[in-house]
Amino acid sequence: MSYMKQWYLIKTKPRQEKIAIANLENQKYQVYCPFALINNKNQFLFPGYLFIHLDNESQDWSPIRSTKGVLNFIKFGLNFAKIPDRVIELIIQNEKNTAFKIKNINNFKKGDKVQITEGIFKNCTAIFQSFKSSDRVILFIKLLGQQQTFNTEKKSIIGL
């Protein structure tokens, strides 16, 4: 009999990711919760969520929902949210890159390419111009064929 494990998404109780991970691992479940070390502190990349690797034929899922720190499985309609292995692999590959980009946010120099991660220009590429204050930056972004000055929160950009 061959077993096929699949990744699923779990919602944790607010700020209880570590509790949920410890308790699920104590029950011998395989859990993955990506994080990055930022300012000497572990920050979860998906706060309030974790991934669990389960076999629906050979594993008992019933204890999961009552595990301390776990709120529930994420579902799409009546179906549990399945996460393809290739998505988990991509997250693992990019986990270190994300930490590096976020950690080096104060090292931007004029002319560096950045990606905007929030707001109406989310996923747009811009050119770093300068720091406006301790929490804001000035960027150049190409709009309607012209370069425009744009300022945003420092936390809303990552280096490319």
Side-chain angles (χ1 to χ4, degrees), residues 1-158:
M1 179 185 270
S2 68
Y3 296 108
M4 187 67 167
K5 283 191 159 191
Q6 179 73 48
W7 287 99
Y8 295 89
L9 187 59
I10 289 181
K11 176 74 175 144
T12 64
K13 292 179 181 173
R15 293 177 295 287
Q16 292 192 25
E17 295 90 350
K18 289 179 184 177
I19 294 167
I21 292 166
N23 287 303
L24 287 166
E25 287 177 343
N26 284 341
Q27 296 174 71
K28 308 295 185 227
Y29 291 107
Q30 182 184 355
V31 180
Y32 173 56
C33 189
F35 68 92
L37 185 65
I38 303 167
N39 296 329
N40 295 321
K41 188 176 178 186
N42 286 332
Q43 301 287 327
F44 294 107
L45 298 181
F46 303 102
Y49 297 92
L50 56 89
F51 302 98
I52 188 165
H53 208 207
L54 297 170
D55 186 324
N56 63 358
E57 292 182 21
S58 67
Q59 283 185 297
D60 182 12
W61 293 26
S62 57
I64 296 171
R65 285 187 43 211
S66 59
T67 298
K68 191 171 183 178
V70 171
L71 194 57
N72 212 336
F73 279 91
I74 299 296
K75 293 181 180 180
F76 297 126
L78 298 174
N79 301 316
F80 291 104
K82 292 180 181 179
I83 312 300
D85 287 343
R86 66 184 181 280
V87 171
I88 299 296
E89 290 165 9
L90 184 65
I91 292 170
I92 291 168
Q93 289 171 1
N94 287 298
E95 190 172 0
K96 288 185 174 72
N97 291 341
T98 300
F100 177 77
K101 288 176 182 179
I102 293 171
K103 190 164 102 176
N104 291 308
I105 201 164
N106 290 322
N107 297 335
F108 288 130
K109 295 179 226 51
K110 188 174 184 174
D112 285 350
K113 277 191 174 182
V114 297
Q115 181 175 355
I116 301 166
T117 60
E118 297 176 10
I120 59 171
F121 296 115
K122 183 177 181 175
N123 297 327
C124 290
T125 302
I127 305 296
F128 179 82
Q129 181 62 22
S130 64
F131 291 98
K132 183 173 183 176
S133 65
S134 63
D135 63 338
R136 298 200 66 84
V137 295
I138 298 173
L139 308 173
F140 286 145
I141 188 167
K142 197 166 196 168
L143 295 173
L144 302 171
Q146 294 185 345
Q147 197 169 28
Q148 303 291 324
T149 302
F150 170 70
N151 86 62
T152 189
E153 291 182 88
K154 182 169 63 173
K155 69 176 187 172
S156 299
I157 61 171
I158 59 173

